[in-house]
Amino acid sequence: MTILSVSNASVEFGATTLFTDITFTVDSGERWGVIGRNGTGKTTLFRLLTGEMQPTTGQVTRQSGVKVSLLEQHRDYGDAATVWEAAAGPFRDLLALERSLAEQAAALGANATEAALERYGHDLERFEREGGYTFAPRVDAVLHGLGFDPAEARTRPISALSGGERGRLGLARQLVAPADVLLLDEPTNHLDLDTTRWLEQYLQSATDRTVALISHDRAFLAAVVDHVLHMEEKTAFAYRGSYESFLQQREERRLTQQRQFEKQQKVIAAESDYIARNIAGQNTAQAKGRRKRLERMPRLSAPGADIDAMALRFESGARGGDQVVVAERVTVAVPGSAVGGGDPDDDGMRPLVEDFTARLTRGETLAIVGPNGAGKSTLLRALLGEHPVAEGELRLGGSIEAAYYRQDLAQVPLGKTLYEVISDLRPTWERRLVQGHLGRFGFSGDEVLRRADTLSGGERARVALAMMVLGRANLLVLDEPTNHLDVESVEALEDALGLYQGTTILVSHDRALLRALATKLWVLHERRITEFDGSFAEWETVSAERAHAASVAAAEEAAMGRMKEKQKVQRKQAAGEDVGGRRDDGRREARRAQRAAEDAERRAMELERRVSALTAEMEDPALYAKADGAQRAAALGVQLEAARRELDAALEAWNVASEEAEKYAGK
């Protein structure tokens, strides 16, 4: 059933056409990915879908009663004071009603008039009808999935949040909103790897709402969407199928368009040649007729080649030493109280990384991964001398020249024009060389005279890369370089890094980029760094084993908890009492049933200890730093799964035996 329809929509701002003739329909339950270069109008299209804007020409229609909710890149939480209030913002009316009900209940104790009772009953019925008893667990679940503690969120002020946390909070608010259509604009920008995976699973299976999302995260798109709208050439093309299917269909469409263009060019060349040879001869009438037809012929265009994509290439200058980074028993700390059960140092410093020793050698591509707030960016700054090391030694090797791409893009001087930014780095360059360099990053003509503080995030990111290229460094340090780039620019960056001959240190949540490039990982977790000598894809495999182990442990812990609750009853029955204190009649069958329950319990406890041992071994980060860690983890996973099945069977046998014992004890 179609719930959104866009027909021949165009948007113009004065003499500038943003896009034209966009047509597509969205059916209930579909998940659309909207991609395209920065500036092609993706966010504007979303505003058309919400009704906030109207197209210059064409139509946008929404099914009657459909609620469309837009998560923008810049979030506003209204007058909410705490994290939980902000997340539950879409339910502010229910929150107010809940407070009113509490006040009414307190007042009824002193003055239970008929009118007051009637009002309380009416409000209570409305509270239940509108989901008053279900929205709070939903808010808690989403907050937890996005990395917040739901209990702490009820008192934690919004003012205490970092920029990334505010972004995740905005996403939580959007996901719990009672909307039929979710429009998500770059939802993964502030997510780490774990929360990105959670969001994937949520959109795949935890909601049946219609979703349209703007994203440059190719792995996320591949996991979530079943339709793609590609905005290019001042219009948009709709594709049915997954992101991988879109890539194939787009290439086929471009090949077809190229063949048609080349065929028409041959016809035009042949007609032009005939006209030139015969316009003044005896066939002049035919030549003039052909010229008129040629003038009226609609011209096909060549496929939209990546002429606007960055012409990005990193070159390494001096070779540098074999040891690029040396870390000896390093501790990195920041001011603030300790978390995670540790104690702050006497000087009030909170450790982010403790007792870390490692080496990075020339030519490697290192990915540093870990949850938000673990200290990845601080570790980079410590490596480059911008943050003090609390203990140990952290240094660059001999003859190593580093170029640093900062996550906040602070390296781009905002008070200068783009021309001045590049000219300052290359004072001997002629004007044409400066303009040519900026042109390779998408800035042409008068754009080079724009001040950097007028640029969008994506434009500033391209300027930062344009600056970085000029350094000819033999070590590239990139902190979330894909955050503001479109898909085409991310692909250009990936290709350039793949060809780079130097060493790369990469902090990113872009799994497609990490899968393509990373040859070694440093994994930050609870103030420790585990070195994994393998690719990111291999790490994902062993991480899945660890996650599986954790989920098995959690499930079996719950099952064992239920068993231990019943053990209290079993002990009383073994002593000759049932739960009500009645004496057992001592019959043989009751004793047999009791012994069977005890035997089943011992078997379950043995298997529970085996599951715990296997889980502890699989969750030990040191396992994955060994040469055969991945193979050992896979073998342990098989053993764990077998032990889990045996434990499930043992628990079921114990449950049957204990119920039989209880039955005899009650006679």
Side-chain angles (χ1 to χ4, degrees), residues 117-406:
L117 286 169
E118 183 178 354
R119 180 194 172 197
Y120 181 77
H122 179 271
D123 287 352
L124 189 63
E125 181 184 353
R126 176 191 160 203
F127 185 74
E128 183 175 3
R129 183 177 64 252
E130 295 182 5
Y133 294 111
T134 59
F135 82 89
R138 191 192 323 172
V139 173
D140 287 347
V142 171
L143 282 173
H144 184 267
L146 292 176
F148 293 100
D149 182 335
E152 181 190 22
R154 291 184 178 271
T155 57
R156 187 179 182 187
I158 296 177
S159 58
L161 299 182
S162 66
E165 288 173 324
R166 290 178 68 90
R168 286 189 282 128
L169 176 57
L171 179 58
R173 179 188 179 104
Q174 184 74 6
L175 294 178
V176 303
D180 303 298
V181 181
L182 295 179
L183 304 181
L184 307 177
D185 194 346
E186 296 292 359
T188 65
N189 261 6
H190 301 286
L191 305 185
D192 55 32
L193 294 173
D194 288 339
T195 48
T196 297
R197 292 190 189 99
W198 177 87
L199 180 59
E200 282 180 3
Q201 294 168 359
Y202 180 89
L203 295 177
Q204 287 172 338
S205 58
T207 180
D208 57 359
R209 290 179 288 184
T210 304
V211 177
L213 57 94
I214 297 169
S215 181
H216 62 266
D217 188 329
R218 294 162 293 167
F220 181 71
L221 289 166
V224 173
V225 305
D226 52 28
H227 290 73
V228 171
L229 186 73
H230 187 204
M231 302 187 72
E232 62 175 348
E233 302 174 29
K234 292 189 180 296
T235 188
F237 300 91
Y239 298 85
R240 180 183 298 273
S242 66
Y243 180 74
E244 289 87 350
S245 175
F246 148 72
L247 294 175
Q248 181 179 353
Q249 293 178 60
R250 180 186 63 176
E251 186 61 27
E252 292 172 352
R253 185 186 65 79
R254 287 181 171 178
L255 287 173
T256 299
Q257 187 177 352
Q258 180 66 35
R259 293 190 190 101
Q260 292 173 342
F261 172 75
E262 292 173 354
K263 182 177 180 180
Q264 187 183 66
Q265 290 300 302
K266 290 179 181 179
V267 171
I268 292 173
E271 290 293 284
S272 297
D273 178 66
Y274 179 89
I275 293 167
R277 287 186 292 102
N278 293 281
I279 193 67
Q282 64 182 21
N283 294 325
T284 182
Q286 293 92 328
K288 289 179 179 179
R290 290 193 181 192
R291 184 169 62 183
K292 289 182 180 179
R293 288 196 300 272
L294 191 60
E295 290 171 351
R296 293 194 297 265
M297 179 186 294
R299 294 298 196 268
L300 300 176
S301 60
D306 294 336
I307 55 174
D308 295 327
M310 295 184 298
L312 186 60
R313 182 180 179 184
F314 294 108
E315 294 183 350
S316 175
R319 181 178 182 272
D322 289 337
Q323 290 196 2
V324 178
V325 175
V326 177
E328 293 283 358
R329 304 188 68 85
V330 171
T331 293
V332 178
V334 294
S337 59
V339 295
D343 294 324
D345 297 337
D346 293 338
D347 56 1
M349 299 296 286
R350 174 169 63 90
L352 295 176
V353 176
E354 293 180 321
D355 196 25
F356 170 53
T357 298
R359 298 285 190 278
L360 181 65
T361 57
R362 183 172 53 84
E364 292 184 308
T365 297
L366 170 70
I368 303 178
V369 299
N372 287 337
K376 301 185 294 294
S377 296
T378 304
L379 179 63
L380 292 184
R381 293 195 293 113
L383 172 63
L384 297 171
E386 297 184 4
H387 185 88
V389 174
E391 294 179 14
E393 180 185 22
L394 180 62
R395 60 179 174 84
L396 297 178
S399 302
I400 298 300
E401 295 291 333
Y404 182 21
Y405 181 101
R406 301 172 185 269

Side-chain angles (χ1 to χ4, degrees), residues 34-42 230-233 250 254 304-310 462 485-489 491:
V34 182
I35 66 172
R37 294 193 181 93
N38 293 332
T40 54
K42 301 185 294 293
H230 187 204
M231 302 187 72
E232 62 175 348
E233 302 174 29
R250 180 186 63 176
R254 287 181 171 178
D306 294 336
I307 55 174
D308 295 327
M310 295 184 298
R462 284 188 276 128
L485 299 178
D486 52 49
V487 170
E488 289 85 352
S489 297
E491 290 172 344

Side-chain angles (χ1 to χ4, degrees), residues 568-589:
K568 298 175 183 178
V569 177
Q570 295 289 330
R571 292 191 189 100
K572 287 187 177 183
Q573 292 172 345
E577 291 185 358
D578 67 5
V579 270
R582 296 188 300 272
R583 303 298 301 172
D584 193 334
D585 60 6
R587 290 179 302 176
R588 183 179 302 172
E589 287 300 318

Side-chain angles (χ1 to χ4, degrees), residues 74 91 109 150 161 181 222 231 280 338 389 405 459 503 543 577 629 654 664:
H74 309 288
F91 302 99
L161 299 182
V181 181
M231 302 187 72
V389 174
Y405 181 101
E459 290 170 328
T503 308
S543 292
E577 291 185 358
W654 172 83
Y664 282 114

Side-chain angles (χ1 to χ4, degrees), residues 92 160 208 264 308 386 414 466 518 528-529 582 648 655:
R92 62 173 64 89
D208 57 359
Q264 187 183 66
D308 295 327
E386 297 184 4
L414 300 182
R528 298 289 178 181
I529 295 181
R582 296 188 300 272
D648 287 345
N655 191 53

Side-chain angles (χ1 to χ4, degrees), residues 100 110 438 481 597:
S100 173
L438 285 167

Side-chain angles (χ1 to χ4, degrees), residues 554-576:
E556 302 311 333
E557 183 179 353
M560 294 302 294
R562 291 190 296 270
M563 187 183 88
K564 288 170 183 176
E565 285 296 320
K566 282 195 172 185
Q567 284 175 346
K568 298 175 183 178
V569 177
Q570 295 289 330
R571 292 191 189 100
K572 287 187 177 183
Q573 292 172 345

